[in-house]
């Protein structure tokens, strides 16, 4: 198994920030790369804000806060992750963007480095095949919010070596997560089962069966879910949700995966959920 000491995180969105925090809390040195230095630094500042709150609530000490922060550095250069043992790409859910990024990483990252993606649905093998190290490419799929959610899906494309998968499973476990291995199929386990439900909840609302508040209340109280489907869609982000549904539909052609019109219209209107302070609900 490869030893992981330094982790490079690409992307400073919802998931990138969560991944950086999880890895730094677990004792890894973390390099965060964003396209602009300002957003990489803003992400580190937001992690610190969370840590300050944790200290205030007695969940961490001031020394721990300083130690965790000292392990995170920010850069806007891809070369900043060149020496990382493990890279986790967590940029926008767009295959063309991710493929271009993996091709660049292949040129920059040391040959022993493992290149992983946090994609929710896209074919990991397509990222592996733009590199010269397809045996050292896999998926490491964290859930949102990464610091709180216990599960990590480790995705095995048909090109990955046993050593890469073992290293990824070990890394996720060292981050305090429950790691499961899954084949490289759109949606893996969780999103393949979850998104038809979320999509059909919006369809039910479109058909006027019940209000979104009633549907959320029903699924919390009736199924013991911690949040209803509309609150969850807002948390995931509606643009990311449509991208996930499109990838699932492309792979399986199942009508349950065909994004309902409301979702697309809301994305067109820029109502992406919590991250834009407006989605099904207002924040
Ligand atoms: N949101 C979730 O609940 C969730 C959960 C698990 C995994 N994921 C996956 O994590 C990844 C990131 O999702 P997110 O929710 O953090 O998205 P986000 O919209 O919050 O952040 C996307 C990031 O990608 C960057 N980006 C956009 N276009 C880019 C480009 N052309 N080149 C490089 N960077 C670019 C943005 O600057 C931003 O830092 C996606 O693959 C998504 O499927 C998301």
């Amino acid at each position: 198994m490869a030893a992981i000491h330094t982790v490079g995180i690409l992307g400073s969105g919802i998931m990138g920030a969560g991944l950086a925090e999880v890895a730094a809390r677990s004792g890894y040195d973390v390099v965060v790369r964003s396209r602009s230095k300002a957003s990489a630094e803003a992400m580190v500042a937001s992690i610190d804000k969370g840590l300050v709150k944790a200290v205030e609530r007695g969940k961490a000490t001031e020394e721990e806060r300083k130690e965790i922060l000292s392990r995170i550095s920010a850069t806007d250069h891809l070369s900043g992750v060149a020496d990382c043992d493990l890279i986790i790409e967590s940029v926008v859910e767009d295959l063309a963007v991710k493929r271009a990024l993996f091709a660049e990483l292949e040129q920059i990252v040391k040959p022993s480095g493992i290149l992983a993606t946090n994609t929710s649905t896209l074919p990991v093998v397509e990222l592996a095949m733009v590199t010269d190290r397809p045996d050292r490419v896999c998926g490491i799929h964290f859930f949102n919010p990464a610091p709180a959610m216990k599960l990590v899906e480790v995705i095995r494309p048909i090109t990955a070596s046993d050593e890469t998968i073992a290293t990824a499973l070990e890394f996720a476990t060292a981050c305090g997560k429950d790691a499961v291995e899954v084949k490289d199929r759109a949606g893996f386990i969780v999103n393949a089962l979850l998104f038809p439900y979320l999509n059909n909840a919006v369809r039910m609302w479109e058909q006027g069966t019940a209000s979104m508040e009633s549907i959320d209340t029903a699924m919390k109280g009736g199924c013991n879910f911690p949040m209803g489907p509309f609150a969850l869609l807002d948390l995931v982000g509606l643009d990311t949700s449509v991208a996930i549904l499109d990838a699932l539909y492309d792979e399986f052609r199942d009508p349950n995966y065909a994004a309902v019109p409301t979702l697309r219209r809301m994305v067109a209107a820029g109502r992406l959920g919590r991250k834009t302070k407006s989605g099904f609900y207002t924040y």
Side-chain angles (χ1 to χ4, degrees):
M1 215 181 300
I4 305 296
H5 301 291
T6 311
V7 181
I9 306 288
L10 307 183
S12 56
I14 306 175
M15 292 307 293
L19 296 183
E21 183 178 337
V22 168
R25 273 181 182 272
S26 309
Y28 296 99
D29 288 326
V30 177
V31 183
V32 175
R33 187 268 177 173
S34 188
R35 287 174 300 172
S36 87
K37 186 106 200 247
S39 56
E41 282 168 353
M43 172 175 145
V44 178
S46 82
I47 293 172
D48 187 30
K49 218 167 136 189
L51 291 171
V52 167
K53 277 194 191 142
V55 172
E56 282 166 6
R57 287 198 215 107
K59 299 206 163 162
T61 65
E62 183 57 23
E63 289 71 51
E64 283 168 339
R65 179 184 84 86
K66 284 190 185 144
E67 207 182 305
I68 293 166
L69 268 189
S70 73
R71 288 195 206 108
I72 307 177
S73 60
T75 179
D76 56 353
H77 295 292
L78 210 50
S79 57
V81 300
D83 290 326
C84 291
D85 306 307
L86 170 67
I87 310 284
I88 309 179
E89 164 281 309
S90 193
V91 307
V92 66
E93 187 76 341
D94 179 315
L95 187 56
V97 170
K98 289 186 194 284
R99 278 169 61 96
L101 197 51
F102 270 67
E104 260 190 280
L105 287 171
E106 174 57 39
Q107 303 304 316
I108 289 169
V109 177
K110 63 180 180 182
S112 61
I114 293 177
L115 307 181
T117 174
N118 185 39
T119 180
S120 304
T121 41
L122 297 170
V124 180
V125 71
E126 295 219 23
L127 304 179
M129 292 310 289
V130 299
T131 74
D132 294 332
R133 62 182 97 182
D135 57 315
R136 287 192 297 292
V137 175
C138 69
I140 303 184
H141 182 217
F142 282 80
F143 287 75
N144 182 15
M149 298 295 281
K150 271 300 261 183
L151 183 69
V152 169
E153 292 175 325
V154 170
I155 292 95
R156 181 193 280 265
I158 52 177
T159 43
S161 69
D162 289 345
E163 187 190 358
T164 296
I165 299 304
T167 304
L169 289 165
E170 171 72 21
F171 168 75
T173 306
C175 288
K177 305 298 183 189
D178 295 331
V180 295
E181 184 184 327
V182 50
K183 281 186 187 164
D184 182 20
R185 298 282 184 279
F188 318 124
I189 298 172
V190 173
N191 286 335
L193 294 174
L194 175 65
F195 271 83
Y197 153 68
L198 295 177
N199 200 32
N200 279 312
V202 184
R203 197 191 317 274
M204 178 181 268
W205 173 63
E206 278 183 344
Q207 290 167 344
T209 305
S211 68
M212 65 178 88
E213 290 84 358
S214 296
I215 296 171
D216 272 358
T217 301
M219 295 312 291
K220 283 195 288 180
C223 295
N224 219 9
F225 289 172
M227 60 174 72
F230 294 94
L232 182 53
L233 281 162
D234 277 355
L235 179 72
V236 170
L238 302 194
D239 53 341
T240 302
S241 297
V242 168
I244 290 171
L245 283 163
D246 285 348
L248 284 161
Y249 187 75
D250 271 358
E251 181 122 310
F252 299 112
R253 303 285 158 182
D254 178 333
N256 284 303
Y257 292 135
V260 297
T262 296
L263 278 173
R264 285 193 203 282
R265 297 300 180 277
M266 289 183 68
V267 172
R271 293 188 198 164
L272 307 183
R274 281 178 184 264
K275 63 185 164 188
T276 56
K277 306 205 180 318
S278 164
F280 287 106
Y281 298 106
T282 304
Y283 299 90

